Amino acid sequence: MGKDKVTEEYGSLLFTDAVMQERLPKPTYKELTKVIKEGKALDLDIANEVAHAMKDWALEKGATHYAHWFQPLTGITSEKHDSFITPKDDGSVLMSFSGKELVQGEPDASSFPSGGLRATFEARGYTAWDPTSPAFIKDEVLCIPTAFISYTGEALDKKTPLLRSQVALATQAKRVLALFGKDVTSVITTVGPEQEYFLVKEEDFQKRPDLVLTGRTLFGCAPAKGQELEEHYFGAIRPTVNAFMKEVDDELWKLGVPAKTKHNEVAPAQHELAPIFEQGSLAIDDNLLAMEKLKLLATHHGLACLQHEKPFDYVNGSGKHNNWSVCADGKNLLEPGSNPGENLQFLVFLAGLIAAVDRHADLMRVSVASAGNDHRLGANEAPPAIVSVFLGDELDAVVEGLINDETVEAHGKTRMDLGVPMLPDVLQDTTDRNRTSPFAFTGNKFEFRMCGSQQNLSDPNVVLNTAVAEVCDEFATAMEGKTGDEFTAAALDWVKAALKEHHRVIFEGNGYSDEWEAEAERRGLPNFKTTVDALPQMVTPENIEFFSKYGVLNEAEVNARYVSKAEQYAKLLNIEANTMVDMAKRLYLPAISEYSSSLAASVATKAELGIESKAELELVKTLTGGLDTIYTAVADLESKNADARETEDPQAECEAYRDVVIPAMDALRAAVDEMEPVVAEDYWPVPSYNSMLFWV
Ligand code: ADP
Ligand code: MG
């Protein structure tokens, strides 16, 4: 039987394991597999052979260029294309690509944010191949996923600390598994990112400078209809959107991105794409590819894809759920086993995770902090800014039992001498889903739901991986040397102690409620409401020590990330403020003025005829009052933004934006939005919420 189109094309633009096996000499393939699976170092002879095979394959697929594909601190991907050509003496060219070019590239690093890490005289950085993420072909360019590092070895990107955190977790988890008698070769994290986005008509998008420049609407009065009828979620997908989604699937499948689920989301014009989970850093690369394809391919269908966390007020914004687990030699460690030993191991990882999340709730919060995400977290559409863990009824009962030292009844025949509880066979109960929890156990994985839709998921995974590495380290250090019953008893005690100590982070109720906020405060859980509140947590002495202890980020790298994140926040708000001022002056004020003038002319003409036009006169007064209010609000925003921009200290600058500029932006928006329902549609200079959200 011949292959169907999908299986035929799946991964055809990906330099997959199968392609490598087919094209590389056996010893080279074996060596490379070791590098990939066991994190071994790559030597140049092997790199040369791989580069040669990669080039031949890429040329056959029509590629003309190669690029190191990397993720600077902006979080989005960057690439510089170099062709394969090498001129020969006779005027012809050779297509060449060396091992050195494969393993290392030298982009000029000076124009990427570095948070002050890179002195200007040392502006160059280099990109180093990440062999755990396969090369792929995109628009006739062979793309090589790489890490981006300064010449002094500091990470300038999102991928490097992620890879380091994966190594830290693998190292420490292997120690834990060894205590359970398991000698595993590979421990990986698995990540499944669910991507939300909006689709609007491209013509509407083009008419809105706020969408074009900032990704979100900075003005717009409430639509006549929002999401209250709950008709969009899982609703039938419109043909245009369907055609778009189909093209996205086709393109992603060629790149080996396992796009699986697509559906309409809660808000009108909102959709979701979920892939099947993969190894952590690969899943993040693939998520970035998916985001890029969503954006670019939308234009083929006359659409614009919005990936901002809050493109529209009054309806839900977009998030990205980070489904996460750890897998050792193919076995999911968050899957309870069928015997007591495996269950004890599961409980160690579960209790460890709970401890990790409670201890590093501040870093988890910072890892999802951004100006965009500030619009969602705690706004009754996404989890609050308080980090808590949801377990579900069954697991919660097990945990409660352990905390209260209750004798656990065995289910079935295997009776445990040391009281390791038998876990319910099926924890995965789909009815038992708490959508309001930021960190929820969903059967065999945790789902971190605070992430923003446009963010690179590396940051939250770095925190999670390192935090779990730390608890694994502590467990192993405490247990090493113990065997048999002594180990079982000590391990169970450790589980109980960890659960008792970190019980406060477990919350099964409604995370959106006000009661929870008060309760969380009583429990002493941190609640960093805004990005600006959360940012300083990045650079506390304990957190600097935490990252450096596990070789994930050193002090200079942590400080640089803090500065870069603060700068990004302030710069983004400055752009938003500028855009608002510009739109108010050049679009809204002239439009309102023009409409009021035409009404005023009509009032005057009618007056000459002895007709009194009360309605028009009232409208002219309202519009003129509105113009004055907008004019004043613009001047206020301009001066406050200028002051904020002048602030030297990054934290103080962010505070000025949050406390002074954002309220001025809100005031200007309110003044403009008040005029929108009063001005005739033909005069209003930009598409309304009604037309953007409910297009056909
Ligand atoms: P939801 O109800 O939240 O949509 P799904 O069961 O569809 O949940 O899963 C959401 C995501 O979780 C998918 O991307 C899926 O591949 C991923 N996922 C499933 N198992 C794991 C795992 N062990 N580790 C990481 N992600 C996983
Ligand atoms: Mg989900």
Side-chain angles (χ1 to χ4, degrees), residues 192 194 196 265 272 274 320-323 433 435 442 445 447 449:
E194 300 166 62
E196 291 181 343
E265 256 303 328
E272 179 180 300
K320 178 149 56 194
H321 293 170
N322 187 82
N323 294 275
R433 289 281 177 99
R435 299 270 167 198
T442 48
K445 62 184 187 293
E447 183 170 359
R449 301 202 180 109

Side-chain angles (χ1 to χ4, degrees), residues 288-465:
L288 292 165
L289 272 177
M291 288 167 76
E292 181 179 317
K293 288 290 173 201
L294 286 168
K295 263 218 165 105
L296 296 178
L297 296 176
T299 61
H300 290 182
H301 303 267
L303 301 172
C305 174
L306 311 178
Q307 292 172 6
H308 192 282
E309 282 81 12
K310 194 72 182 177
F312 302 99
D313 278 13
Y314 311 108
V315 296
N316 276 11
S318 298
K320 178 149 56 194
H321 293 170
N322 187 82
N323 294 275
W324 181 97
S325 191
V326 193
C327 186
D329 284 353
K331 177 136 184 18
N332 182 353
L333 298 180
L334 290 181
E335 186 111 45
S338 50
N339 67 59
E342 280 174 10
N343 284 340
L344 180 57
Q345 182 193 304
F346 167 80
L347 289 174
V348 167
F349 280 98
L350 180 76
L353 248 163
I354 291 167
V357 172
D358 184 33
R359 244 188 238 164
H360 299 290
D362 57 345
L363 286 174
M364 300 271 291
R365 169 67 184 92
V366 185
S367 77
V368 298
S370 69
N373 221 12
D374 278 359
H375 298 287
R376 299 174 59 240
L377 297 179
N380 279 325
E381 59 174 80
I386 309 159
V387 176
S388 65
V389 176
F390 169 84
L391 296 174
D393 289 346
E394 287 178 296
L395 206 49
D396 193 45
V398 172
V399 165
E400 287 297 325
L402 285 164
I403 288 173
N404 300 322
D405 282 319
E406 284 160 14
T407 333
V408 187
E409 276 308 311
H411 302 234
K413 287 192 191 102
T414 351
R415 178 78 210 162
M416 266 133 310
D417 301 335
L418 288 149
V420 178
M422 278 300 278
L423 298 174
D425 283 340
V426 189
L427 286 174
Q428 203 160 14
D429 176 2
T430 44
T431 56
D432 188 24
R433 289 281 177 99
N434 181 330
R435 299 270 167 198
T436 67
S437 174
F439 199 79
F441 186 72
T442 48
N444 58 2
K445 62 184 187 293
F446 273 94
E447 183 170 359
F448 185 37
R449 301 202 180 109
M450 289 169 91
C451 314
S453 50
Q454 65 181 339
Q455 93 167 97
N456 180 315
L457 285 182
S458 297
D459 290 358
N461 284 287
V462 165
V463 175
L464 252 175
N465 297 346

Side-chain angles (χ1 to χ4, degrees), residues 439-595:
F439 199 79
F441 186 72
T442 48
N444 58 2
K445 62 184 187 293
F446 273 94
E447 183 170 359
F448 185 37
R449 301 202 180 109
M450 289 169 91
C451 314
S453 50
Q454 65 181 339
Q455 93 167 97
N456 180 315
L457 285 182
S458 297
D459 290 358
N461 284 287
V462 165
V463 175
L464 252 175
N465 297 346
T466 315
V468 176
E470 182 189 56
V471 285
C472 286
D473 178 12
E474 285 171 8
F475 176 81
T477 306
M479 299 296 143
E480 273 159 1
K482 296 187 170 67
T483 52
D485 287 354
E486 189 200 0
F487 167 70
T488 310
L492 198 58
D493 281 347
W494 186 91
V495 167
K496 288 179 182 175
L499 292 175
K500 277 179 196 156
E501 187 182 343
H502 299 286
H503 187 222
R504 63 173 195 164
V505 80
I506 300 172
F507 178 63
E508 302 289 306
N510 178 5
Y512 292 178
S513 65
D514 294 336
E515 294 79 54
W516 170 231
E517 205 171 324
E519 166 69 14
E521 196 179 338
R522 268 196 299 281
R523 295 188 189 185
L525 299 177
N527 183 2
F528 300 105
K529 291 200 169 154
T530 68
T531 295
V532 185
D533 298 310
L535 277 176
Q537 295 305 306
M538 288 176 84
V539 285
T540 61
E542 311 83 73
N543 285 340
I544 289 174
E545 165 61 18
F546 164 68
F547 282 125
S548 59
K549 181 170 182 196
Y550 292 96
V552 173
L553 290 166
N554 65 28
E555 183 169 0
E557 289 171 325
V558 169
N559 281 321
R561 263 146 230 270
Y562 162 75
V563 170
S564 154
K565 215 164 172 164
E567 277 177 3
Q568 221 167 341
Y569 177 88
K571 282 180 187 169
L572 219 126
L573 278 158
N574 175 45
I575 294 170
E576 289 192 352
N578 284 340
T579 306
M580 289 188 83
V581 167
D582 196 60
M583 286 175 77
K585 281 185 176 170
R586 288 154 36 92
L587 292 173
Y588 294 119
L589 285 174
I592 300 164
S593 167
E594 195 183 340
Y595 181 51

